Amino acid sequence: MTLSNTGTGDVDPAVREELERLRASIDNIDAAVVHMLAERFKATQQVGRLKALHQLPPADPAREARQIARLRDLAESARLDPAFAEKFLNFIVAEVIRHHERIAEDTANGQPAPTD
């Protein structure tokens, strides 16, 4: 039960069925990840507005360091590469900080902060 290397699409039906099952699971997980990220960013937008109203800095390096350590521990428990988890969190945090900077700038200029 292997895939053909001919590139013709000749695949054992049992293999194709298993691939489709696994890919459907991956698609569902991807959808859940996107929805979870959307919820996370809704919460971080609220944090950004609160920080802007109280002139707090967009970044919080101490919290970020704690979150990285926490996520690395979670990754190890889940048998996920902790370095990958850290890179993923750093990517998200960079985007959050960018949002917070924009919210702070808009607030300082008297523009309403986004509510999305």
Side-chain angles (χ1 to χ4, degrees):
M1 287 194 183
T2 61
L3 293 173
S4 169
N5 290 330
T6 64
T8 63
D10 296 334
V11 178
D12 181 311
V15 171
R16 181 172 305 283
E17 185 177 322
E18 181 67 1
L19 274 173
E20 289 174 5
R21 184 189 68 76
L22 291 168
R23 288 175 174 163
S25 179
I26 291 167
D27 292 349
N28 288 336
I29 294 166
D30 288 347
V33 167
V34 167
H35 287 283
M36 292 301 295
L37 284 171
E39 288 301 311
R40 188 185 197 286
F41 276 95
K42 286 177 189 174
T44 61
Q45 291 289 338
Q46 292 174 11
V47 168
R49 287 191 292 278
L50 186 62
K51 285 181 172 184
L53 288 172
H54 297 279
Q55 290 93 35
L56 297 171
D60 184 345
R63 169 153 168 83
E64 293 157 21
R66 287 190 307 272
Q67 286 297 93
I68 286 170
R70 180 177 159 272
L71 200 67
R72 287 183 69 91
D73 287 344
L74 288 170
E76 286 180 20
S77 296
R79 296 186 193 163
L80 179 68
D81 179 5
F84 170 77
E86 183 174 345
K87 288 176 191 175
F88 182 71
L89 183 62
N90 283 331
F91 176 77
I92 291 170
V93 168
E95 185 68 8
V96 167
I97 291 170
R98 190 180 69 76
H99 290 182
H100 289 186
E101 290 169 342
R102 189 191 78 233
I103 292 168
E105 184 179 311
D106 289 349
T107 300
N109 293 331
Q111 298 174 349
T115 59
D116 55 329

